[in-house]
Amino acid sequence: MPIALGFIFWDFWKYYIYVSYLRSVKWVLLEIKIPALIEKTPKAMEQIFSAAYSLYSYEFNFVQKYWEGHLAEDFASFELVGNGGGVHFYIRVPEYVRNAMEAAVYSQYPDAEISLAEDYRALFPKTLPNKIYDIMGFDYHLVRDNAYPIRTYEYFESQKDETRLDPIAAITEVMSKLKDEEALWIQIFVRPTGTEWKKTAEVIRDKLIGRSKPAEPLGFFGHIGHFIRNLILAPAEYPIWPEDKKQEERSRMLLLSPGERDVVEAIDTKISKLGFDVNIRFIYIDRRDSFTRLNVAATMSTFNQFNTLNLNAFRPNLKTMTIIRGNIKWFKKSRLWARKRLMYDNFMKMRWPKRRSILNIEELATIYHFPTVVVEAPLLRRLGAKKGEPPAGLPVE
């Protein structure tokens, strides 16, 4: 009994110290107002996500983990908010990395304006749904293994402005058409991850090209052993030497189809850049008397543009969907209400789901970046003019 209670106490202790630590984190919500003309591609946004990697601790020690509550890496939230007042870009980070994030934004977008913002979540009640408002939403995750990338912004780029596409245009267009009582919130959690996912991806890549695990040098006795083996089995099979195996692996690469080579190259490209543990969550809110799923369907369709059949794709997390699936209709309304309440509570309290994905900075920059000049959403909040700073040494008295 003491041993069993010890395990239970340990689990409760870890939960207690982790929740206590999360409550002690002071968050700041930064709103980024973009200039009217942005000619930079989403590649500039990669540098901003690289700055978010400064949250990585490179592993905590025992005291930091089990006494101070650092059971997981700190994370940031990149948020896209649409309502009747326009489309807003936010970055929510712990206060201690605020300067680093602001410097990263200004380094890539010198004409942008960053300001502390009031939390937009305060515009609605703390608990939804209720008698007035209804909600719908869910989390997104990757369909295949994290090693396979989604379609990135390079696919949408073109040398000519009239043929250049911006993947952020679809969602900003949906948000620009929302009424005053509607709201569409997208929350992208990013948490720096180590290199373990890279090793797993390399195993998948090597399996695709038929590469075996690198063998250790044989040495003198190893070559003698190969010679004796080949001598004994010579009447039954052709002698095989280590050099022949390496040549066979090279020939397998030549037998890959163009599509298979593209997959291998895409995996190599993904694991060459910084990776983040990611969760994508969106919620749609509207009054019950005018609630429609059209905006939900339109939002879901914007994620389809990142999907490919040979690489990876996004799909809703069925365990978080605010839809009751199946033929069991017992307590359907109560179960649906509970799911919606849990989804809204997870959004407000910034909880991570059990299932998440790993995306690199190129994939993140594709999903979340500041619109370029080709995006013409009417309610997109752009800067008409930038506030100027006073010259250094200006007398004020």
Side-chain angles (χ1 to χ4, degrees):
M1 182 63 71
I3 295 175
L5 291 177
F7 283 109
I8 295 174
F9 169 79
W10 183 246
D11 288 337
F12 273 100
W13 171 255
K14 290 191 295 183
Y15 176 80
Y16 167 74
I17 59 174
Y18 183 56
V19 171
S20 299
Y21 170 73
L22 291 180
R23 289 176 177 173
S24 68
V25 175
K26 186 175 181 180
W27 294 89
V28 292
L29 183 64
L30 306 175
E31 181 177 8
I32 293 87
K33 297 178 181 178
I34 56 178
L37 299 176
I38 292 182
E39 297 183 353
K40 290 188 176 183
T41 66
K43 192 174 186 64
M45 197 68 195
E46 289 189 34
Q47 309 308 315
I48 298 176
F49 282 106
S50 297
Y53 206 82
S54 60
L55 292 164
Y56 192 48
S57 65
Y58 298 94
E59 296 186 2
F60 296 106
N61 58 38
F62 184 86
V63 175
Q64 290 173 322
K65 280 186 177 181
Y66 303 112
W67 183 255
E68 298 177 3
H70 295 277
L71 296 178
E73 300 289 344
D74 290 340
F75 64 95
S77 178
F78 291 77
E79 302 171 11
L80 187 57
V81 175
N83 50 39
V87 182
H88 307 261
F89 288 83
Y90 296 103
I91 301 178
R92 193 187 302 267
V93 294
E95 189 178 34
Y96 69 89
V97 294
R98 174 186 173 183
N99 291 341
M101 294 305 300
E102 288 183 347
V105 173
Y106 281 133
S107 66
Q108 301 301 320
Y109 302 93
D111 296 328
E113 185 175 301
I114 305 175
S115 60
L116 280 176
E118 295 291 335
D119 199 335
Y120 60 89
R121 299 176 299 180
L123 298 174
F124 287 90
K126 292 184 178 180
T127 56
L128 286 180
N130 55 23
K131 295 181 179 180
I132 301 175
Y133 291 99
D134 197 5
I135 73 166
M136 192 171 182
F138 36 81
D139 298 332
Y140 269 101
H141 62 76
L142 293 176
V143 175
R144 303 180 68 183
D145 192 274
N146 293 317
Y148 296 91
I150 60 172
R151 178 186 291 171
T152 58
Y153 61 83
E154 292 183 351
Y155 174 86
F156 301 91
E157 289 183 351
S158 174
Q159 297 296 329
K160 297 180 180 180
D161 290 341
E162 59 270 16
T163 59
R164 182 184 302 171
L165 305 176
D166 193 338
I168 204 73
I171 189 62
T172 56
E173 190 65 30
V174 173
M175 291 181 170
S176 294
K177 295 181 179 180
L178 298 177
K179 304 187 298 291
D180 291 337
E181 297 291 337
E182 292 178 295
L184 182 59
W185 302 343
I186 296 179
Q187 196 178 60
I188 304 174
F189 292 159
V190 296
R191 171 182 283 157
T193 185
T195 59
E196 197 63 34
W197 73 278
K198 181 177 180 293
K199 297 176 182 177
T200 304
E202 288 174 344
V203 172
I204 295 175
R205 178 203 60 191
D206 294 343
K207 185 177 180 180
L208 289 174
I209 63 179
R211 177 185 297 170
S212 58
K213 186 178 179 181
E216 297 181 359
L218 294 177
F220 175 77
F221 293 102
H223 285 285
I224 294 296
H226 264 282
F227 174 79
I228 296 174
R229 175 191 177 279
N230 289 332
L231 182 64
I232 296 174
L233 299 178
E237 66 176 36
Y238 193 82
I240 299 176
W241 303 100
E243 293 79 7
D244 297 335
K245 292 183 178 180
K246 294 180 181 179
Q247 187 65 31
E248 182 181 355
E249 290 179 359
R250 296 191 191 100
S251 62
R252 287 180 183 176
M253 281 292 296
L254 299 176
L255 296 176
L256 295 178
S257 67
E260 291 171 332
R261 290 197 195 97
D262 291 341
V263 172
V264 174
E265 290 176 2
I267 294 176
D268 265 334
T269 301
K270 177 168 183 174
I271 63 179
S272 66
K273 298 186 177 183
L274 296 175
F276 287 84
D277 218 7
V278 176
N279 182 66
I280 302 173
R281 176 178 294 149
F282 92 88
I283 282 184
Y284 171 69
I285 308 172
D286 195 10
R287 296 179 64 90
R288 286 187 176 275
D289 54 5
S290 61
F291 192 90
T292 175
R293 292 188 178 183
L294 294 178
N295 288 322
V296 176
T299 303
M300 294 176 65
S301 67
T302 62
F303 287 94
N304 293 336
Q305 62 185 328
F306 308 120
N307 298 347
T308 59
L309 296 179
N310 64 330
L311 293 174
N312 221 330
F314 285 119
R315 65 166 295 175
N317 188 337
L318 299 181
K319 293 184 178 180
T320 63
M321 287 185 70
T322 53
I323 299 175
I324 300 299
R325 302 167 64 90
N327 299 323
I328 301 177
K329 297 183 179 180
W330 296 344
F331 309 106
K332 184 174 181 179
K333 290 184 179 180
S334 300
R335 288 186 291 141
L336 181 59
W337 177 87
R339 278 200 173 194
K340 291 181 178 181
R341 179 63 64 88
L342 180 61
M343 168 58 67
Y344 188 76
D345 197 48
N346 288 341
F347 192 101
M348 300 294 283
K349 296 182 179 179
M350 303 176 66
R351 292 198 188 104
W352 283 78
K354 289 184 178 180
R355 181 164 184 174
R356 65 283 303 266
S357 306
I358 294 180
L359 303 177
N360 68 1
I361 56 176
E362 181 179 341
E363 294 170 294
L364 288 170
T366 303
I367 301 170
Y368 184 97
H369 61 270
F370 306 132
T372 60
V373 68
V374 299
V375 179
E376 299 178 356
L379 295 182
L380 191 62
R381 288 173 61 88
R382 296 184 186 267
L383 285 177
K386 187 179 184 299
K387 294 181 181 178
E389 299 292 336
L394 180 67
V396 294
E397 292 184 359

